[in-house]
Amino acid sequence: MSQFQRLPVLVVGAGPVGLTFAAEIARYGIECRIVDKAQGTKEISKALILHVRTQEVLDAMGLTHEAQDVAVPLRRVEIIGYGKHLGHGVMEGVNSFHPHPVILGQNVTEHILQEHLGKSGVTVEWRTEATQLQQDADGVTVQLRKEDGTEEIVQAHYALGADGTHSLVRNQTGIPFEGYPYAGQAFIQSDSKIRSLLPRGASYLWFTEKGYMMVIEMPGDIVRTFISVPDPGPDHRGTTLEEVNAKLNEFSGLDAELYDPVWVALYRVNHRAAARFRDRRVFLAGDAAHEHVPIGGQGMNTSIQDAFNLAWKLAYVLKGKADPALLDTYQVERHPVAESLLHGTDEAYTRLLKAGELTHQAVRLLGPFLLGRETVRDKLRSVIEEVNINYRKGPLTEDHGGSAGPHAGDRALDAPVVRPTDRETIPLRNVLRGTHWTVLLFSGTEGQAGRYRQLQDCARQIGAKYDETVRPFLIAGEYQLPQISPTETPLLLDRMRQVHEQYGVTQPCFYVIRPDWYVGFRGGFGKEESLMAYLDRVLPSKGPVNGSV
């Protein structure tokens, strides 16, 4: 057995969650290792939808086109309820630079993330199992075992358990995984080609007296057929394409043919959540932290967002740019998201299973009306695409009003602006992307020369105090060019007021955007002192942790 190796961060589990976290930690310049007992990425699709917020996360990481280039857009879902076509769900139209979800296999997402991680010089250590874990005030000690039986002890300042529902990290940390199985229920699914009388170009959702079912178009002329069924019993470890095909036709009334299967599976699901996502120096994310019934396809998406939320916070603490208390906000912000997801999916699944004839009649009668209302569509899109997730009540949030747009705690929005130094049109998100905080100083749509000078003075003060940690940008919302030098203060032109409209700004206003593209602070003109006090509170310099970075 080798001697201790000391490093800042150890990641256990190299699925999409561990890969996201490791890639982000490495992007911030933090040394890490990522291990997994598997032989490598499993070449099966598993989770196959990237919702809008997750696409924004990948964009923020620098993966702006990789997923979209190999995915199939999901714009329309036809819905059949108890024998009647109710209408369709329009998935496109989210207020985002990624306006709809996309479909691609989890294995493809993992390959994209793994390649991205490799650009930072970090390689996944496959066939390396974490066998023991303990922690003390100085760090986390983990025993690793290679496939050939050799063992190693690693001591890290912090460790992330992204090692799935049977997480060794969670179990050895002693964090309860509370919940229950859905007794008597199971799911069967296949990825295959299909011949049917339904037109291509859409995905399909059925609600029936026997359960619910989806047929989802995937890349490569493949469809995912996904069906809820009674559990056939513990002796059944799998299913066949013929069984999936028979259930498809039974549920839909079609005479469809599934052929050329890529993957066929039967699985059972649980409703569980870790009692807490952090124990001192150990964190949990993804399936190690929460498990739910797969309604809405939000499991992997929520998990990637867990990792993204934690990574920048841990990086800032390790680099001495923030107080260790910042790490407490991971639990405060993300645990309620998981609780809400579990509650919503459980309620929807339970209602589907227990729906009686009155419910069937109500769905057939009211379904077309509800699906046709744009307010209903907007609400569904917002929830399913996870753009409604906010941290308005969180400890990193401070709101003083000043606009009719996003509140502090909401996700940041995007719109085109012009960079006067080279007269290039760029999306606002280009100035948000990085490892820094961003302060947007809006001039308002009827700016005055004196106010421009005050905004410019504020930007200079922020730049002088926080250097590259916080980047200020003055957004000029008038058609006439302001008489200030863009070389002295970073200036973005919003002459058509598109950014001002997105943020609901008419008068001068301040927005502070966190590294994970959530609004931390909002305040109108005259709140400069509150703005500086907020930055001092969330970014007190402490110096690197134990000189590790």
Side-chain angles (χ1 to χ4, degrees):
M1 185 177 293
S2 68
Q3 298 296 315
F4 281 100
Q5 183 200 3
R6 299 180 184 272
L7 75 160
V9 179
L10 176 68
V11 183
V12 180
V17 182
L19 290 168
T20 297
F21 181 80
E24 280 296 276
I25 279 289
R27 186 167 69 93
Y28 280 81
I30 305 295
E31 181 188 2
C32 74
R33 289 176 64 181
I34 176 169
V35 301
D36 196 299
K37 64 183 179 182
Q39 298 292 311
T41 299
K42 295 179 180 178
E43 295 303 335
I44 52 179
S45 58
K46 298 175 74 175
L48 51 64
I49 186 167
L50 291 178
H51 288 300
V52 167
R53 178 55 193 167
T54 305
Q55 293 177 66
E56 293 177 352
V57 165
L58 297 178
D59 198 325
M61 293 172 63
L63 293 164
T64 53
H65 304 293
E66 285 81 351
Q68 286 79 5
D69 289 347
V70 294
V72 171
L74 177 59
R75 295 190 171 97
R76 184 182 180 104
V77 178
E78 299 290 348
I79 302 175
I80 301 94
Y82 307 105
K84 179 179 180 179
H85 180 223
L86 305 178
H88 61 271
V90 180
M91 307 306 294
E92 194 160 30
V94 178
N95 183 6
S96 171
F97 38 93
H98 301 292
H100 53 73
V102 296
I103 301 296
L104 76 166
Q106 179 178 320
N107 56 324
V108 179
T109 300
E110 289 181 16
H111 283 303
I112 290 170
L113 289 167
Q114 193 170 336
E115 181 179 351
H116 183 62
L117 173 62
K119 293 176 182 178
S120 298
V122 181
T123 302
V124 176
E125 299 175 46
W126 297 108
R127 300 177 294 280
T128 303
E129 182 179 7
T131 58
Q132 293 185 34
L133 178 146
Q134 42 183 232
Q135 62 175 316
D136 55 29
D138 296 324
V140 185
T141 302
V142 182
Q143 182 171 305
L144 304 177
R145 181 188 298 133
K146 301 284 188 179
E147 187 178 40
D148 62 6
T150 60
E151 295 184 331
E152 175 188 6
I153 292 179
V154 173
Q155 187 175 68
H157 289 302
Y158 294 94
L160 174 71
D163 48 342
T165 55
H166 301 290
S167 170
L168 173 131
V169 173
R170 185 192 64 238
N171 291 337
Q172 297 216 344
T173 305
I175 298 176
F177 199 39
E178 299 163 342
Y180 47 84
Y182 287 101
Q185 301 299 319
F187 291 88
I188 57 174
Q189 67 181 44
S190 66
D191 293 348
S192 68
K193 293 186 177 181
I194 187 172
R195 295 186 185 98
S196 81
L197 297 178
L198 291 175
R200 302 300 296 269
S203 292
Y204 294 86
L205 168 64
W206 284 266
F207 300 114
T208 80
E209 292 82 353
K210 299 177 181 179
Y212 76 97
M213 174 177 70
M214 285 201 75
V215 174
I216 306 169
E217 289 195 343
M218 298 173 61
D221 200 32
I222 299 294
V223 299
R224 161 73 56 84
T225 305
F226 174 81
I227 310 172
S228 67
V229 295
D231 191 337
D235 293 338
H236 286 73
R237 300 288 182 178
T239 188
T240 65
L241 185 67
E242 291 72 23
E243 287 179 309
V244 177
N245 204 150
K247 285 295 182 183
L248 165 63
N249 289 333
E250 179 185 344
F251 276 40
S252 66
L254 299 175
D255 184 19
E257 177 190 1
L258 302 178
Y259 65 102
D260 289 351
V262 177
W263 181 42
V264 181
L266 177 148
Y267 60 94
R268 301 163 178 89
V269 293
N270 298 288
H271 173 98
R272 301 186 190 280
R276 55 191 182 279
F277 288 1
R278 179 191 182 190
D279 185 283
R280 294 168 289 168
R281 291 179 173 269
V282 175
F283 298 89
L284 302 176
D287 288 348
H290 44 78
E291 180 184 13
H292 66 94
V293 64
I295 290 181
Q298 294 169 310
M300 182 183 72
N301 289 267
T302 301
S303 301
I304 288 174
Q305 293 166 44
D306 289 344
F308 189 62
N309 179 282
L310 175 61
W312 74 265
K313 297 172 180 178
L314 185 55
Y316 264 66
V317 169
L318 285 168
K319 282 184 168 292
K321 293 182 177 181
D323 191 280
L326 177 65
L327 300 177
D328 295 333
T329 67
Y330 173 60
Q331 165 77 19
V332 174
E333 291 184 343
R334 296 306 299 176
H335 200 272
V337 172
E339 288 182 326
S340 176
L341 175 62
L342 265 70
H343 174 76
T345 54
D346 180 69
E347 184 176 34
Y349 186 49
T350 302
R351 286 186 177 183
L352 284 172
L353 293 177
K354 295 181 178 180
E357 181 57 33
L358 287 177
T359 300
H360 302 167
Q361 292 179 17
V363 168
R364 287 191 291 263
L365 177 65
L366 299 176
F369 170 74
L370 293 173
L371 285 174
R373 293 181 63 85
E374 192 58 35
T375 53
V376 174
R377 289 178 173 179
D378 282 343
K379 178 65 174 178
L380 287 173
R381 279 193 296 258
S382 177
V383 172
I384 294 172
E385 298 311 306
E386 300 191 305
V387 295
N388 68 323
I389 293 172
N390 68 77
Y391 310 130
R392 289 186 180 185
K393 297 180 180 180
L396 296 181
T397 298
E398 187 172 324
D399 198 293
H400 298 275
S403 75
H407 292 220
D410 293 348
R411 49 185 270 278
L413 300 177
D414 191 38
V417 290
V418 174
R419 191 169 50 206
T421 51
D422 57 5
R423 292 177 288 184
E424 284 290 324
T425 298
I426 62 171
L428 180 65
R429 67 184 185 276
N430 280 15
V431 305
L432 305 182
R433 188 182 299 111
T435 60
H436 57 276
W437 292 63
T438 307
V439 178
L440 304 178
L441 301 99
F442 287 88
S443 72
T445 54
E446 298 178 0
Q448 301 173 5
R451 289 188 174 182
Y452 270 119
R453 285 193 293 272
Q454 289 176 271
L455 293 173
Q456 195 172 19
D457 288 343
C458 184
R460 288 197 195 103
Q461 185 181 356
I462 292 168
K465 184 167 186 177
Y466 294 100
D467 194 27
E468 287 299 302
T469 301
V470 183
R471 295 182 184 178
F473 291 89
L474 202 165
I475 301 181
E478 291 185 295
Y479 185 77
Q480 299 298 324
L481 293 179
Q483 298 302 307
I484 61 175
S485 171
T487 58
E488 292 182 16
T489 301
L491 177 65
L492 300 171
L493 301 180
D494 186 28
R495 302 178 83 174
M496 298 297 104
R497 301 176 179 177
Q498 289 168 284
V499 179
H500 276 70
E501 288 180 3
Q502 276 280 59
Y503 282 80
V505 173
T506 56
Q507 299 298 315
C509 184
F510 307 106
Y511 270 91
V512 177
I513 312 299
R514 303 172 3 171
D516 59 352
W517 293 8
Y518 272 90
V519 177
F521 174 97
R522 177 179 67 154
F525 193 71
K527 291 293 182 180
E528 292 88 340
E529 289 187 6
S530 297
L531 167 63
M532 296 306 296
Y534 172 79
L535 293 175
D536 287 343
R537 175 170 67 86
V538 298
L539 295 172
S541 179
K542 298 294 182 181
V545 173
N546 295 336
S548 61
V549 291

